[in-house]
Amino acid sequence: MRLTVAQALVRFLAAQHSERDGVEHKLFAGCFGIFGHGNVAGIGQALYEAELREPGALPYHQSRNEQAMVHAAAAFARMRNRLSTLACTSSIGPGATNMVTGAALATVNRLPVLLLPGDVFATRVADPVLQQLEDPRAADVSVNDAFRPVSRFFDRVWRPEQLPSALLGAMRVLTDPAETGAVTVALPQDVQAEAFDWPEELFAHRVWHVPRPVPEPAALARAVAAIRGARRPVLVAGGGVIYSEATEALRRLAEATGIPVAETQAGKGSLPYDHPLALGATGATGTSAAVHMCREADVVIGVGTRYSDFTTASRSAFGDAVFVNLNVAAFDAAKHAGVSVVADAREGLGALAEALTGWSVGDGYREEARRLAAEWDETVERAYHLGHGPLPAQSEVIGAVNDVSDPRDVVVCAAGSMPGELHKLWRTRDPKGYHVEYGYSCMGYEIAGGLGAKMAAPDRDVFVMVGDGSYLMMSSELVTAVQEGVKLIVVLVQNHGFASIGALSETVGAPRFGTRYRYRDADTGRLDGDVLPVDLAANAASLGVPVLRARTVQELRAALQDAKAHDGPILVHVETDPLVPAPDGGAWWDVPVAEVSTMDATRQARKSYEAAKVNQRPYLTPPPQR
């Protein structure tokens, strides 16, 4: 079959499918793209021809920012439990490097996305072409080599003959739950347009099986022995529980054994918030219930978590506990010198439940977990209804959105102060109802991520919660939502600065420096003048999005109800007081403080920092030998 490289690529992608538990999914639901001279004649032409030849086989979606389209693809993959994703194509140069941040986000969060950046001429007949980086040390280097450290698979197709092996290698990684992340296939622009005679079997319907590895019996026995020897075990549920669709298996294990469950950002929703064994958020942004139970735990069972420093409160959360790590990735299962059980989360939890039949924690321990969780829920209720004025607190905004949303609705967030508050306060009622990107915590993810989440789950309302700082980083995909008729409810929280880093700066002795949006004062020479007259609601309206303004919590609730009834994208603007802290769960996060300073605030912060450091542990305790 004689096709160009780009035409062959598009036809191949349309024929790829994933399968798990006997259910087949299209691996690529479409392709985002921004065209330039590096891909318009290749992939652009091929996508256009494909739409005419076979409508719907690989739909094209127009984006406004290359980074944003990768975020949208990652969010789509997350909502689909990594069984489907979107491809993203860019031109060479800045179009390609704009995708690098999105690639890092996908890889950090273990989310499959396929990146197809244009590249320089393979023939070098006109070097240097527009936007080409010249490296005097190596003529085969281009800016696309920046994708190598942030991709789980990288290849550059210099010749048409290389395309099949590159594509098969890319699909292998995209569908491997232990290896997945960003996959980059760089495509020189002249090669994209080059014709070749392809074997027809390259374009056959192809199904990639997504495995559910079962635990090795000996590893399972070691894990069971450690758990049976525990008096105060705690289970930490990570994103692997959600992606593996293991929430029901987790519930059965928890109820049978009485082991309470704390949740990471990616694992939030593993249990409904009101389950008696649900401790809520763990780690640096943890609830008081989870912080206490984790600190007193003698065995920590980590399921599908990579143990980021927020999960471990910078290795101060768990004391001298023994770790049992169930993870599909051996790299994560081996962390903290734990008992390593390499397996799919659902299969591993089922095996643990069977092996622990008849064993349970004491009744008093169950009751302690239930009581502490109930006490935290009362704290949440107070935070949701503070009655703060004249501007509402951010916790009240979160409460209003939580109350108005339906159980299957999705909240999306990524950076700033809201992710931490959402982790502690949001009452999750559905495993896919909480979508906070906190592996890379990338400002600008929110609206693009909300777009991808809604495309993946059109039957759910998606609430995008974004601060003014993140909105200013990237609001471009509001235009894509308008163009595609994708309903997003964007809650824009205006607090005139970087609230999260502003609060953090207070704790490290640099009070609010560089975190407020202010004019430069003529007298002091610093950025501490009047508030900038920025109207982000007017900006959103100029992009074609209807805007509702709310000044009070009551007006906000009414606006959110109106937004739910709206058909397309809509934005609700509310101003908050950035100086009202959320309830503190009692955990810590290691951010170094200057060791010497002439400022008293910094010296005091250093004393507090050194006092907290003594609680850090190396997590090197070997598990007990059988």
XYZ file of all heavy atoms in Angstrom, residues 328 458 506 608:
29
model
N 2.092 -2.267 40.547
C 2.337 -2.918 39.266
C 3.748 -2.635 38.762
O 4.276 -3.377 37.936
C 1.279 -2.483 38.234
C 1.510 -1.045 37.768
C 1.213 -3.433 37.053
N -18.243 12.559 28.816
C -19.235 13.577 28.478
C -20.514 13.506 29.294
O -21.300 14.469 29.291
C -19.506 13.324 26.981
C -19.065 11.919 26.738
C -17.944 11.665 27.683
N 5.597 32.618 54.046
C 5.493 33.003 55.456
C 6.238 32.011 56.344
O 6.872 32.393 57.323
C 4.016 33.055 55.866
C 3.179 34.093 55.128
C 3.269 35.472 55.753
O 4.047 35.646 56.701
O 2.538 36.374 55.293
N 12.098 26.731 63.556
C 10.956 25.821 63.380
C 11.301 24.693 62.422
O 10.918 23.532 62.628
C 9.737 26.598 62.858
O 9.348 27.601 63.772
